[in-house]
């Protein structure tokens, strides 16, 4: 029997994540019948390359989803808020990479290695939310440890690359590095301060209590994905001058004791995880190792002797792939395997 194929829309097809989505659809041989690349009027006349073909980008409008079965959204929260319900109403299933619907109780928030069963909730609104990039790579590592030893508290600090902000931020870092080499002034446009040779403890907007929205995404989304409201999480999220790959220093406290050896054993078998932890050989995860790949790398596993049952970990993944496009397409793969048959 011929495999069923799907018409797939990519909303934000000219952006950093959209580009990666199309690359991964092609790489993983997702059964695409027709690709529909969508973007804003700014992209009118542009085309994208898919499976060796140049496909014209269409301007997103209310009729864009006719005949489309799956829509992958990555064009910002306001675009999703407006157009994801329109897409769902026209009969397609939306996998949304923005934060617009993540905390909606009628929308599943899914990391396939952690809570694939939650996908079934998509039937309520026709929308599945893809979590925040930093949250995805953290829960991929935490879930197998939680299953064994029950995590009570997480303290995480992130070192997030500029590609998480989008294409303009990638270009801004590049331009500022060139300007620095040429002895010219650094001109911030996307970020409030220079990002080259700097670190910004400011991702997304600030709330009144002093936390950023990015930090609170990590707190709230972790509980929803791990399906455990009792896990206490606190985060500090920082933008660093790295093009691709987010890093995280994670401290956990567990109910049952986990030795470093046990944690290494668990993580060496965990789905989607690559254990890279041999400091004597200078083996530890770094963005330049993780970028371009699918795995979430973990290393520098140490006992935290300042508490009873504590561990420190260093976790790195490609934010455009596992943190965004890959996770969305893994969701879509489960969707067509188990639900759209
Ligand atoms: P465009 O290139 O036409 O502006 P990034 O995250 O890399 O900045 O990319 C954002 C993506 O979202 C781009 O493809 C961008 O298209 C798209 N986008 C932004 N605003 C809109 C909008 N109002 N309607 C449709 N697509 C949009």
């Amino acid at each position: 029997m011929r495999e069923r194929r799907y018409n797939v829309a990519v909303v934000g097809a000219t952006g950093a994540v959209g580009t990666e989505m199309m690359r991964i659809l092609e790489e993983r041989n997702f059964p695409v019948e027709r690709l529909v690349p969508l973007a804003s009027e700014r992209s009118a006349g542009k085309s994208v390359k898919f499976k060796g073909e140049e496909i014209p980008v269409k301007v997103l409008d209310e009729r864009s989803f006719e005949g489309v079965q799956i829509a992958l959204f990555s064009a910002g929260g306001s675009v999703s808020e407006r157009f994801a319900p329109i897409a769902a109403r026209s009969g397609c299933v939306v996998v949304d990479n923005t934060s617009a619907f993540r905390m909606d109780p009628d929308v599943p928030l899914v990391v396939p290695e952690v809570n694939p069963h939650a996908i079934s909730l998509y039937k309520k609104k026709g929308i599945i939310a893809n979590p925040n990039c930093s949250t995805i790579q953290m829960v991929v590592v935490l879930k197998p440890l939680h299953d064994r030893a029950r995590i009570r508290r997480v303290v995480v600090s992130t070192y997030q690359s500029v590609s998480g902000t989008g294409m303009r931020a990638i270009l801004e870092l590049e331009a500022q590095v060139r300007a620095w080499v040429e002895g010219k002034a650094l001109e911030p446009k996307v970020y409030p301060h220079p990002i080259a040779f700097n670190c910004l403890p400011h991702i997304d907007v600030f709330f009144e209590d002093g936390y950023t929205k990015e930090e609170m995404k990590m707190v709230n989304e972790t509980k929803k994905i791990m399906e455990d409201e009792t896990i206490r999480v606190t985060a500090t999220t920082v933008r660093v001058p790295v093009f691709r790959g987010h890093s995280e220093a994670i401290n956990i406290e567990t109910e049952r004791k986990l030795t470093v050896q046990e944690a290494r054993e668990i993580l060496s078998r965990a789905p989607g995880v690559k254990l890279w932890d041999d400091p004597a050989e200078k083996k530890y995860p770094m963005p330049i190792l993780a970028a371009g790949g699918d795995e979430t790398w973990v290393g520098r596993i140490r006992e935290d002797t300042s508490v009873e049952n504590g561990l420190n970990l260093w976790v790195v993944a490609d934010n455009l792939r596992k943190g965004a496009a890959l996770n969305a397409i893994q969701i879509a793969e489960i969707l067509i395997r188990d639900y759209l048959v």
Side-chain angles (χ1 to χ4, degrees):
M1 206 176 77
R2 188 170 176 264
E3 176 192 36
R4 185 170 172 200
R5 305 185 81 77
Y6 301 85
N7 297 335
V8 178
V10 174
V11 183
T14 51
V17 173
T19 304
E20 203 61 36
M21 281 171 164
M22 292 179 297
R23 187 174 298 150
I24 294 176
L25 286 171
E26 188 171 334
E27 255 176 43
R28 295 172 75 93
N29 222 356
F30 193 90
V32 179
E33 177 71 32
R34 181 163 59 90
L35 182 84
V36 184
L38 300 164
S40 77
E41 289 104 18
R42 290 180 291 272
S43 296
K46 284 192 191 162
S47 61
V48 294
K49 225 183 177 148
F50 184 68
K51 293 193 174 172
E53 262 184 77
E54 290 288 336
I55 305 181
V57 176
K58 293 193 186 143
V59 177
L60 173 67
D61 68 27
E62 308 210 337
R63 300 188 54 193
S64 297
F65 303 97
E66 286 171 10
V68 171
Q69 288 91 40
I70 299 170
L72 308 172
F73 272 69
S74 194
S78 55
V79 172
S80 289
E81 267 167 37
R82 170 146 181 241
F83 286 96
I86 293 173
R89 267 200 301 281
S90 83
C92 81
V93 183
V94 171
V95 183
D96 181 31
N97 193 50
T98 77
S99 62
F101 299 97
R102 288 183 190 147
M103 297 313 294
D104 183 329
D106 291 334
V107 172
L109 183 64
V110 180
V111 177
E113 292 86 345
V114 178
N115 63 337
H117 51 270
I119 288 180
S120 63
L121 182 64
Y122 88 88
K123 289 171 188 152
K124 280 224 165 169
K125 287 197 168 166
I127 301 172
I128 303 167
N130 204 42
N132 163 266
C133 44
S134 295
T135 311
I136 293 176
Q137 67 180 69
M138 181 165 82
V139 296
V140 164
V141 168
L142 294 192
K143 179 65 163 61
L145 302 176
H146 186 56
D147 287 345
R148 180 74 76 87
R150 189 132 195 264
I151 295 171
R152 286 175 176 283
R153 181 164 186 254
V154 180
V155 181
V156 55
S157 301
T158 69
Y159 306 68
Q160 299 182 219
S161 69
V162 295
S163 55
T165 311
M167 213 68 107
R168 287 179 59 232
I170 298 172
L171 299 174
E172 175 150 311
L173 173 58
E174 207 174 284
Q176 287 179 359
V177 170
R178 281 185 205 286
W180 186 86
V181 170
E182 289 163 11
K184 294 183 189 152
L186 305 173
E187 265 200 42
K189 290 195 189 87
V190 175
Y191 296 116
H193 304 282
I195 183 63
F197 314 106
N198 199 11
C199 297
L200 308 179
H202 173 186
I203 301 184
D204 212 325
V205 295
F206 280 104
F207 291 126
E208 248 175 32
D209 63 4
Y211 282 92
T212 62
K213 191 170 171 190
E214 185 81 353
E215 287 158 354
M216 295 320 293
K217 287 175 197 165
M218 293 193 78
V219 172
N220 298 321
E221 293 180 22
T222 298
K223 296 178 191 200
K224 181 167 173 177
I225 302 162
M226 305 261 280
E227 297 172 346
D228 188 341
E229 284 298 314
T230 67
I231 301 177
R232 287 172 288 157
V233 182
T234 187
T236 302
T237 57
V238 182
R239 190 72 67 191
V240 297
V242 168
F243 283 110
R244 202 166 162 144
H246 287 0
S247 306
E248 299 177 345
I250 305 176
N251 176 269
I252 59 169
E253 283 179 57
T254 54
E255 198 168 285
R256 282 181 292 287
K257 175 122 193 113
L258 270 184
T259 65
V260 168
Q261 207 40 46
E262 280 168 335
R264 281 186 181 151
E265 259 166 46
I266 295 166
L267 293 170
S268 68
R269 282 180 274 111
V273 173
K274 183 178 178 85
L275 179 69
W276 198 247
D277 194 15
D278 191 354
E281 294 296 320
K282 301 186 186 68
K283 280 185 173 178
Y284 33 73
M286 293 181 286
I288 54 169
L289 292 177
D294 291 350
E295 285 138 327
T296 298
W297 297 56
V298 59
R300 300 291 326 278
I301 303 174
R302 290 148 290 152
E303 196 170 317
D304 172 5
T305 51
S306 72
V307 291
E308 214 175 312
N309 298 331
L311 280 179
N312 283 307
L313 312 125
W314 176 252
V315 173
V316 183
D318 185 322
N319 54 294
L320 293 181
R321 290 178 71 91
K322 187 57 190 165
L326 173 65
N327 198 73
I329 288 159
Q330 287 173 320
I331 291 171
E333 286 171 348
I334 299 175
L335 186 74
I336 62 170
R337 188 192 66 201
D338 296 347
Y339 299 95
L340 299 187
V341 279

